[in-house]
């Protein structure tokens, strides 16, 4: 029988409130994007203001140590396993979002569970310069802005088959490129800082020499011209001699140049014409704004007592306060319901923004602390000791969702004694062992493959990819032949057939 009736049902559902959307948005913003967002909020909300007078020391903005979890300044430690209520609100519980009342003090800490202010976690210091423009005109301006040379090189680096460790070396090299496109710096210094061999740095540089524009990242004018000639298939012994004697060309000593190159006047004239068609400054075609120095969000330094000290960079945290005095004035002057609603909304949004910034900082610090704990060997011994790591491992360790960890590690940078790295750099793939009980870092396997090939040929034997697979399986590493071939190509190592041919002719 068909009829109508009333029923009451109770159920649970996820409600994405505007406040939670803002908290999630803040979590994934870079420090420059955060500054742009804060600037827009300062213009929109009259109750927000910057606190330019407070001088917050580094420890006050949140610092932790692997060996001092009870540090009075430490907001997070390696021993913490579960997020507090505020972190759960950002992570999974949208219906429990805290909505700050207009009368609540802006200096109270979010998720602190008490009424005492938490210095340094609610009042933020001004971030660095730059950043996207406010919403609405940002896309238009981003589309019209030309890529800088450094952005162009970084984009090409991300498209190479290099592993995470070699990409870190590549980024370090790109930072040493000047406006003309030349590499200015000592490769040995890069190798020492990253804890790897000079041969590995040179191998990565050889990959970078294949980037566009041709000749980029050369260390000298002759090397820059050589790269362009090689691409045109015009580099021969005569051209090599000409590049080795450019000073004779500069002095117009053509007779000595003909003798050095072993060519006649007509050939020399053609060679000089080819040189004039090349570009001695490959980076000059990139205009636009200069490359901005990456401002790290997290600072890592050795702890004299052992381990590492991790703290937030106060220069990347906007220092905001709610202007309670002005709030009282405008509240008393509000007469219509519209005015009262506007003031109440501004106060609620201001308090929520301060608390969201607080929570963002604590979440970044917690995730960074776990990354440091997981990759301690990298900081102690170098790039060869990166461990396999994924988002789930970090998320489970700190009691957060993988999506939260993914947002935190996007566009966030960590300054360490070995250089500045994006947080996502520390997540490397793993290769299972034969017994299935353990895993090996992909980087460690690549290093093993390179070591095998470096030591081959002494007995006239060249290892094929299939033979390398067998040797790795005997060592307990479960790997496919196509993976070995991919790693070998990423290391710029030719096939066994080509290596055997070189061995015979060499």
């Amino acid at each position: 029988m068909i009829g109508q009736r009333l029923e009451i049902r109770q159920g649970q559902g996820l409600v994405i409130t505007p406040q939670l959307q803002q908290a999630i948005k803040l979590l994934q913003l870079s420090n420059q994007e955060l500054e742009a967002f804060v600037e827009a909020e300062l213009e929109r909300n009259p109750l927000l203001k910057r606190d330019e007078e407070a001088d917050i020391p580094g420890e006050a903005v949140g610092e932790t140590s692997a060996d001092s979890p009870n540090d009075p300044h430490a907001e997070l430690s390696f021993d913490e396993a579960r997020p507090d209520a505020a972190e759960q609100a950002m992570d999974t519980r949208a219906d429990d979002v805290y909505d700050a009342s207009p009368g609540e003090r802006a200096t109270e800490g979010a998720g602190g569970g008490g009424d005492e202010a938490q210095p340094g976690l609610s009042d933020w210091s001004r971030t660095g310069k730059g950043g996207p423009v406010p919403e609405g005109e940002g896309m238009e301006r981003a589309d019209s802005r030309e890529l800088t040379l450094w952005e162009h090189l970084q984009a090409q680096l991300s498209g190479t088959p290099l592993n995470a460790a070699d990409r870190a070396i590549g980024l370090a090299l790109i930072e040493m490129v000047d406006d003309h496109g030349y590499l200015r710096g000592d490769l040995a210094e890069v190798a020492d800082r990253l804890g790897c061999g000079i041969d590995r740095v040179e191998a990565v540089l050889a990959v970078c020499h294949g980037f566009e524009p041709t000749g980029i990242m050369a260390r000298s004018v002759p090397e820059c011209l050589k790269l362009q000639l090689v691409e045109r298939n015009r580099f021969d012994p005569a051209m090599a001699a000409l590049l080795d004697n450019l000073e004779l060309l500069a002095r117009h000593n053509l007779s000595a140049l003909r003798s050095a190159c072993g060519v006649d006047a007509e050939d020399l004239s053609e060679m000089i014409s080819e040189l004039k068609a090349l570009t001695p400054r490959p980076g000059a075609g990139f205009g636009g704004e200069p490359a901005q120095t990456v401002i790290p969000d997290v600072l890592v330094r050795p702890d004299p007592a052992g381990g590492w000290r991790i703290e937030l960079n106060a220069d990347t945290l906007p220092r905001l306060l709610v202007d309670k005095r002005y709030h009282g004035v405008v509240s008393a002057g509000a007469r219509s319901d519209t005015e009262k609603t506007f003031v109440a909304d501004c106060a609620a949004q201001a308090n929520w923004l301060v608390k969201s910034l607080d929570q963002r900082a604590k979440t970044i610090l917690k995730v960074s602390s776990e990354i440091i704990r997981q990759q301690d060997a990298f900081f102690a011994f170098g790039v060869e000791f990166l461990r396999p790591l994924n988002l789930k491992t970090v998320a489970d360790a700190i009691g957060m969702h993988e999506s939260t960890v993914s947002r935190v590690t996007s566009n966030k940078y960590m300054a360490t004694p070995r250089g500045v790295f994006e947080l996502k750099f520390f997540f490397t793939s793993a290769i299972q062992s034969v017994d299935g009980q353990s895993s090996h870092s992909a980087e460690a396997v690549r290093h093993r493959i390179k070591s095998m090939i470096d030591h081959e040929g002494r007995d006239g034997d060249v290892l094929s990819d299939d033979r390398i697979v067998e040797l790795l399986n005997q060592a307990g590493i479960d790997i496919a032949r196509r993976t070995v071939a991919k790693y070998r190509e990423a290391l710029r190592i030719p096939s066994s057939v080509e290596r055997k041919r070189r061995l015979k002719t060499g």
Side-chain angles (χ1 to χ4, degrees):
M1 184 175 180
I2 300 177
Q4 295 180 340
R5 61 179 178 178
L6 296 176
E7 290 185 356
I8 299 177
R9 296 182 181 180
Q10 185 177 8
Q12 291 183 339
L14 184 63
V15 179
I16 305 297
T17 63
Q19 289 85 359
L20 180 58
Q21 291 177 359
Q22 182 190 74
I24 294 175
K25 179 180 179 180
L26 291 179
L27 190 61
Q28 60 191 9
L29 294 181
S30 66
N31 50 47
Q32 293 181 344
E33 292 170 338
L34 180 64
E35 171 66 11
F37 177 83
V38 169
E39 288 290 348
E41 287 296 309
L42 286 170
E43 294 180 4
R44 188 190 67 82
N45 195 331
L47 299 184
L48 279 174
K49 69 173 184 178
R50 290 191 182 275
D51 182 13
E52 302 290 357
E53 299 178 359
D55 184 15
I56 305 173
E59 285 122 351
V61 298
E63 180 177 297
T64 184
S65 169
D67 299 313
S68 59
N70 296 322
D71 190 303
H73 295 301
E75 294 298 331
L76 304 167
S77 72
F78 292 136
D79 298 330
E80 290 187 64
R82 302 296 303 171
D84 59 18
E87 286 168 342
Q88 293 175 353
M90 285 185 65
D91 200 5
T92 57
R93 295 290 305 278
D95 51 343
D96 289 341
V97 174
Y98 177 82
D99 192 0
S101 62
E104 187 174 5
R105 291 188 56 82
T107 55
E108 293 178 355
D115 296 329
E116 295 182 1
Q118 300 183 25
L121 286 175
S122 297
D123 308 333
W124 305 104
S125 63
R126 182 180 176 87
T127 184
K129 60 184 179 180
V133 295
E135 209 173 306
E137 59 177 304
M139 292 297 296
E140 180 181 352
R141 188 171 301 181
D143 292 339
S144 62
R145 186 181 68 85
E146 295 181 359
L147 283 179
T148 65
L149 173 61
W150 298 270
E151 291 171 342
H152 181 65
L153 295 177
Q154 290 168 6
Q156 293 181 81
L157 178 65
S158 64
T160 64
L162 295 177
N163 56 70
D166 287 341
R167 282 199 300 271
I169 298 174
L171 288 173
L173 294 176
I174 290 174
E175 291 177 358
M176 298 161 56
V177 177
D178 64 12
D179 294 338
H180 298 303
Y182 285 91
L183 187 69
R184 306 299 187 189
D186 187 6
L187 298 187
E189 186 273 332
V190 175
D192 181 66
R193 176 161 56 89
L194 295 179
C196 62
I198 184 67
D199 294 340
R200 185 168 189 177
V201 177
E202 291 176 346
V204 174
L205 179 59
V207 176
C208 296
H209 281 163
F211 292 170
E212 293 292 338
T214 306
I216 203 70
M217 298 182 69
R219 287 162 287 186
S220 63
V221 173
E223 185 178 35
C224 176
L225 300 177
K226 175 184 175 181
L227 292 172
Q228 297 177 57
L229 289 169
V230 169
E231 184 190 48
R232 300 184 181 196
N233 198 25
R234 291 294 298 131
F235 185 73
D236 52 28
M239 272 295 189
L242 176 58
L243 295 181
D244 290 338
N245 294 275
L246 289 179
E247 70 281 358
L248 296 178
L249 180 61
R251 296 200 301 266
H252 299 282
N253 191 345
L254 300 184
S255 60
L257 201 55
R258 287 195 299 270
S259 176
C261 298
V263 296
D264 56 25
E266 182 179 357
D267 288 338
L268 180 62
S269 177
E270 291 180 358
M271 292 166 60
I272 294 175
S273 298
E274 290 183 32
L275 285 188
K276 291 181 178 179
L278 303 179
T279 305
R281 297 185 182 88
F286 289 82
E289 60 193 54
Q292 295 183 356
T293 303
V294 171
I295 304 175
D297 302 86
V298 182
L299 307 176
V300 180
R301 66 181 188 275
D303 192 333
W308 305 95
R309 301 290 296 180
I310 306 105
E311 61 182 301
L312 296 175
N313 184 1
D315 293 335
T316 66
L317 303 174
R319 184 185 304 158
L320 294 180
L321 291 175
V322 179
D323 194 337
K324 295 297 182 180
R325 178 181 177 183
Y326 186 64
H327 177 227
V329 174
V330 295
S331 296
R335 298 180 181 179
S336 65
D337 292 340
T338 302
E339 293 175 349
K340 293 178 181 179
T341 301
F342 174 75
V343 174
D345 289 344
C346 287
Q349 287 295 326
N351 280 281
W352 177 259
L353 177 58
V354 172
K355 291 179 180 295
S356 296
L357 292 173
D358 173 16
Q359 188 55 52
R360 176 185 182 272
K362 291 198 292 185
T363 305
I364 293 174
L365 187 60
K366 175 170 284 190
V367 172
S368 301
S369 299
E370 180 60 24
I371 290 175
I372 295 295
R373 189 182 72 84
Q374 294 282 352
Q375 299 289 8
D376 178 73
F378 164 78
F379 296 99
F381 304 110
V383 72
E384 298 286 350
F385 293 86
L386 275 173
R387 290 183 51 195
L389 186 63
N390 55 37
L391 295 174
K392 188 177 186 302
T393 301
V394 174
D396 291 344
I398 62 179
M400 290 184 178
H401 194 271
E402 290 181 52
S403 63
T404 302
V405 177
S406 178
R407 292 186 182 97
V408 170
T409 55
S410 296
N411 301 314
K412 311 295 189 306
Y413 292 85
M414 177 185 294
T416 74
R418 296 196 178 276
V420 179
F421 303 95
E422 188 178 8
L423 295 186
K424 282 192 178 296
F425 160 76
F426 297 100
F427 294 90
T428 62
S429 58
I431 296 177
Q432 288 298 123
S433 61
V434 174
D435 57 15
Q437 300 298 319
S438 60
S439 60
H440 303 269
S441 169
E443 173 55 34
V445 174
R446 292 186 187 94
H447 180 71
R448 188 187 289 256
I449 292 173
K450 186 176 186 303
S451 178
M452 289 179 179
I453 296 176
D454 287 343
H455 291 84
E456 71 180 4
R458 296 180 178 179
D459 299 325
D461 184 25
V462 175
L463 299 175
S464 65
D465 291 346
D466 289 325
R467 180 55 180 161
I468 293 175
V469 170
E470 293 176 6
L471 294 175
L472 292 177
N473 286 337
Q474 293 174 10
I477 301 174
D478 185 14
I479 190 170
R481 181 187 178 281
R482 63 179 180 275
T483 306
V484 171
K486 181 180 69 172
Y487 288 173
R488 175 178 53 75
E489 292 171 359
L491 293 169
R492 311 283 289 186
I493 298 175
S495 65
S496 59
V497 176
E498 178 64 23
R499 300 200 307 274
K500 187 177 296 185
R501 184 184 301 116
R502 292 183 181 181
L503 184 63
K504 291 179 178 179
T505 58

